[in-house]
Amino acid sequence: MKKSLLALAVIAASSASVANAADYSDDIYKNDHKWLQFNAMYAIDEKAQFDFGEGTEKDHNYLEMEFGGRKGVVDLYGYVDIFDLGEDDSSNNNKKGASKLFMKLAPRFSIDGITGQDLSFGPVQEVYFSTLFNWDGGNDIVNNSFWGVGADVELPWFGKVGMNLYGLYDINNKDWNGYQFSTNWFKPFHFFDNGSFLSYQGYIDYQFGADDTFKGNNQATHGGAMFNGLYWHSDNYALGYGLKAYNNVYLFEDGNANNSVGAVADSSGISHYLSATYKF
């Protein structure tokens, strides 16, 4: 994880090309766009899991509504997951009666657009006030908010990559709990004669700077996840496979039961994701 972050930082710092600035001096709405898609997903050995002694299967299906776009100074990405369709209990975290819902919202607010100033430099195209909200609806799992700064950065081969640095505010415990660096990318790399294409897409979420105990519970001081996806896209459909590497994800220390959930955490390792998408 640290090597991946270092590699991205080195590439950004050493980029010889100057990125195109985001110019909103004439019209802040000129780059408006939006998109929406539904993903039928199947996760194999997803993390973080918790052992409640029920032996619940770690593989599960879920339906995901994914969306994003730009409106004026607001850049938005988000999704809503509904787990284990047609099953009585949520098996994604092995707890009877657990939430079947997980939501992520990541609104960013362009400082360039708000101030009317060109804040680009080197490979940095645009600067943002960045926020992120993870919400599972339960009282004991992951309900976090993140507050910080971000940028769109032009990298060789990858093109535009989003980067954000946040402070993490735990909504359940109403206190700050370390920091997170996030980056994401979408890179088409092979185009077919019919207009469809293959893409390499993914993200890194890396938490750090946390204490080894938080509100009386043990936790990891750092951890996160990296998703690497290979997808085929057409105008209306997409099919994909993703490999996700976890390390003490959400700061749940792998193998430790003295955490906010009160069960042994399986929070490190490799998971696999299969998806079929319909685009609106």
Side-chain angles (χ1 to χ4, degrees):
M1 189 73 69
K2 290 181 179 178
K3 290 181 179 179
S4 299
L5 293 174
L6 179 60
L8 286 172
V10 170
I11 292 172
S14 62
S15 176
S17 62
V18 177
N20 295 323
D23 181 11
Y24 296 101
S25 58
D26 55 342
D27 181 9
I28 64 171
Y29 298 105
K30 65 182 180 181
N31 292 321
D32 286 3
H33 65 278
K34 58 185 175 181
W35 56 273
L36 170 68
Q37 61 188 39
F38 282 85
N39 309 317
M41 305 287 297
Y42 192 79
I44 302 171
D45 199 22
E46 189 174 38
K47 319 293 181 185
Q49 300 282 340
F50 298 95
D51 183 7
F52 290 93
E54 299 174 3
T56 309
E57 178 61 50
K58 294 182 179 180
D59 305 346
H60 71 109
N61 62 79
Y62 60 100
L63 178 66
E64 180 173 83
M65 181 180 72
E66 189 177 18
F67 52 90
R70 180 73 183 242
K71 181 68 174 180
V73 301
V74 182
D75 176 85
L76 176 66
Y77 171 78
Y79 62 79
V80 178
D81 291 342
I82 303 174
F83 299 125
D84 309 311
L85 300 175
E87 297 181 12
D88 291 335
D89 297 313
S90 176
S91 64
N92 72 298
N93 59 14
N94 294 15
K95 185 177 181 181
K96 183 177 177 64
S99 173
K100 282 179 173 280
L101 184 72
F102 184 83
M103 179 180 72
K104 179 188 289 284
L105 290 176
R108 301 192 301 169
F109 305 87
S110 171
I111 299 176
D112 296 58
I114 293 171
T115 63
Q117 302 296 314
D118 177 8
L119 302 178
S120 64
F121 60 93
V124 174
Q125 293 180 320
E126 190 168 1
V127 182
Y128 298 89
F129 169 62
S130 298
T131 64
L132 169 64
F133 303 89
N134 291 330
W135 187 259
D136 89 331
N139 295 320
D140 57 358
I141 308 295
V142 178
N143 297 306
N144 294 328
S145 63
F146 301 77
W147 308 83
V149 295
D152 290 335
V153 181
E154 188 75 18
L155 299 183
W157 190 79
F158 280 92
K160 185 174 75 172
V161 172
M163 295 186 180
N164 303 283
L165 180 63
Y166 310 98
L168 189 164
Y169 184 78
D170 188 306
I171 296 175
N172 291 337
N173 292 289
K174 297 179 174 56
D175 202 357
W176 296 94
N177 189 20
Y179 307 91
Q180 177 168 302
F181 174 81
S182 297
T183 184
N184 59 81
W185 60 88
F186 182 95
K187 173 60 181 180
F189 65 88
H190 182 77
F191 292 86
F192 299 99
D193 293 338
N194 63 2
S196 65
F197 62 91
L198 296 177
S199 69
Y200 170 49
Q201 55 196 75
Y203 61 86
I204 295 172
D205 290 331
Y206 180 69
Q207 292 180 242
F208 62 97
D211 295 331
D212 56 6
T213 58
F214 181 66
K215 300 299 181 179
N217 298 308
N218 290 350
Q219 66 175 9
T221 59
H222 61 275
M226 180 180 184
F227 182 83
N228 297 276
L230 178 63
Y231 284 74
W232 169 81
H233 287 269
S234 69
D235 289 341
N236 299 314
Y237 305 98
L239 295 172
Y241 162 76
L243 184 150
K244 196 170 183 179
Y246 295 87
N247 177 35
N248 295 329
V249 67
Y250 301 128
L251 298 183
F252 290 116
E253 190 172 18
D254 193 49
N256 195 321
N258 184 21
N259 51 51
S260 60
V261 181
V264 175
D266 177 12
S267 58
S268 298
I270 300 295
S271 300
H272 307 274
Y273 294 82
L274 303 175
S275 68
T277 296
Y278 185 73
K279 303 178 182 180
F280 284 81

